[in-house]
């Protein structure tokens, strides 16, 4: 999507509210983009939470999220009343909401959570499959003018933009067919993420008010993702650009979507010519405490004995962090600022590695060279919760018990490993965490 500001989960999924001045809707409707269901890989769904919150500039129109509504119609009427009272309602919003209806399936999807998550190699190999690499090269060639122009203007690598396109919607073949008004209205009525969902509805009405989209186009992901690169409405309002110069910013137009993605990453600080990661080999007797020592320059890592893998080279003053995605028995990667920039689109290290690797392969580079410890198995969500509780009880705060082995949990586990005479690689599996979950 970008659910660059939202959540997505492995098997189910787990804002700048800028309201532009209303523009009259053109009398002639542009033809909506037809979604072609091609025989392509399904979009990648990741397991980690990702949310970059852009604060609203308007006073909140939301009733407290815990408020109970006796019916969907009661919520809708109250939502429109609150919007009007705050001066953010419009005729378009009222027209958009007139036929909104409850979709229980959306609520079920939002509440469901996968019990098991993928190991990093399963995710990465799916993200950068041979089919997706081939399709990516073809799509890059077909859209070269738009992608090259966006790269020149915003700095973001055209391969990275194309890779995100592939990850988010299988290059436009799977932009989503869910009625966005009904989906977001259902999330708002349910209440768990009411403020988020109501802000998206207001943003969609603003998009229509300024003539960028038509209400008939509003089909996408159940959680609000729109178009080729799955922006959510509020982020589109602040980050969308007119890539084809027709005077509109339409996420269902590939030129607009791709240009907006490149611009979004450029605004987040993309560094031209810097790889998102470098695969390295650790020297014999490596000091694993450096894993948690923070970032240092690429040259400093070379001085620590790290060497490039696969005939590639690295060096210079750019800072990087050492990451062992599968622990001490798997690949070693130096993550640069551009890796972090990809994560503004989706705050998942696995997602960022998938995008970076797919882009690298499309550009003719190699895949991960070092082998993965394929004998390792993931923890279930229930087991992760047990691990989080146990670590916190022992004084290694995981930042909460949510069943997701995210960065805080991995860092807490690494501290426990260090205190117990183990290599603090932070890799959590059935094997490495067995003494804490049984």
């Amino acid at each position: 999507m970008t659910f660059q500001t939202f959540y997505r989960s492995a098997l189910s999924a787990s804002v700048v509210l800028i309201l532009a001045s209303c523009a009259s809707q053109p009398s002639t409707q542009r033809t909506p983009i037809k979604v072609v269901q091609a025989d392509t890989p399904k979009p990648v769904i990741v397991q980690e939470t990702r949310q970059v919150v852009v604060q609203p500039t308007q006073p909140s129109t939301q009733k407290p999220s815990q408020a109970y509504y006796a019916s969907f119609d009661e919520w809708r009427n109250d939502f429109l009343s609150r919007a009007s009272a705050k001066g953010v309602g419009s005729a378009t919003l009222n027209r958009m909401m007139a036929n909104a209806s409850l979709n229980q399936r959306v609520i079920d999807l939002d509440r469901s959570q996968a019990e098991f998550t993928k190991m990093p190699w399963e995710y990465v190999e799916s993200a950068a499959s041979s089919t997706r690499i081939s399709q990516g090269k073809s799509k890059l060639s077909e859209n070269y003018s738009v992608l090259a122009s966006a790269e020149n203007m915003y700095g973001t690598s055209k391969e990275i933009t194309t890779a995100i396109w592939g990850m988010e919607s299988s290059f436009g073949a799977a932009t989503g067919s869910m009625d966005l008004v009904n989906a977001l209205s259902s999330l708002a009525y349910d209440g768990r993420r009411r403020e988020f969902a109501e802000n998206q509805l207001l943003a969609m009405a603003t998009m229509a008010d300024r003539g960028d989209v038509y209400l008939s186009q509003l089909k996408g992901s159940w959680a609000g993702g729109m178009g080729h690169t799955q922006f959510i409405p509020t982020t589109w309002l602040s980050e969308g650009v007119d890539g084809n110069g027709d005077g509109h910013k339409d996420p269902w137009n590939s030129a607009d979507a791709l240009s907006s993605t490149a611009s979004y990453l450029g605004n987040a600080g993309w560094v031209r010519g810097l790889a998102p990661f470098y695969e390295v080999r650790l020297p014999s007797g490596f000091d694993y405490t450096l894993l948690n020592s923070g970032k240092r320059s690429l040259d400093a890592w070379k001085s620590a004995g790290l060497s490039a893998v696969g005939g590639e080279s690295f060096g210079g003053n750019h800072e990087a962090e050492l990451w062992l995605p599968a622990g001490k028995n798997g690949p070693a990667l130096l993550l640069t600022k551009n890796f972090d920039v990809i994560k503004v689109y989706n705050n998942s290290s696995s997602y960022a590695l998938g995008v970076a690797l797919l882009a690298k392969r499309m550009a003719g580079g190699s895949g991960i060279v070092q082998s993965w410890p394929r004998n390792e198995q993931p923890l279930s969500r229930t087991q992760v919760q047990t691990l989080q509780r146990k670590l916190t009880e022992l004084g290694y705060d995981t930042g909460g018990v949510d069943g997701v082995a995210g960065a805080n949990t991995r860092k807490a586990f690494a501290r426990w490993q260090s205190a117990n005479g183990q290599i603090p690689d932070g890799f959590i599996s059935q094997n490495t965490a067995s003494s804490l979950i049984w």
Side-chain angles (χ1 to χ4, degrees), residues 334-394:
L334 288 178
L335 310 180
T336 71
K337 180 178 181 178
N338 283 350
F339 192 89
D340 294 334
V341 170
I342 296 172
K343 290 174 70 175
V344 305
Y345 219 93
N346 177 330
N347 191 27
S348 158
S349 294
S350 291
Y351 176 90
L353 180 56
V355 167
L357 185 59
L358 176 56
K360 182 181 180 183
R361 295 300 306 278
M362 286 192 295
S366 64
I368 298 296
V369 174
Q370 297 170 100
S371 61
W372 298 95
R374 297 178 186 274
N375 60 303
E376 298 283 7
Q377 298 296 319
L379 269 61
S380 70
R381 183 172 294 273
T382 302
Q383 288 173 325
V384 172
Q385 291 173 331
T386 299
L387 175 65
Q388 291 170 327
R389 282 191 289 266
K390 185 66 173 180
L391 285 171
T392 300
E393 289 171 3
L394 293 173

Side-chain angles (χ1 to χ4, degrees), residues 10 222 234 339:
W222 66 266
T234 47
F339 192 89

Side-chain angles (χ1 to χ4, degrees), residues 44 124 126-137 159-160 162-167 171 277 352-364:
V44 171
V124 169
S126 172
S129 66
S130 58
T131 300
R132 185 173 270 123
I133 293 167
S134 176
Q135 288 184 328
K137 290 179 178 179
E159 288 83 7
I160 288 290
T162 306
I164 288 177
W165 187 20
M167 295 276 277
F171 308 104
F277 74 89
L353 180 56
V355 167
L357 185 59
L358 176 56
K360 182 181 180 183
R361 295 300 306 278
M362 286 192 295

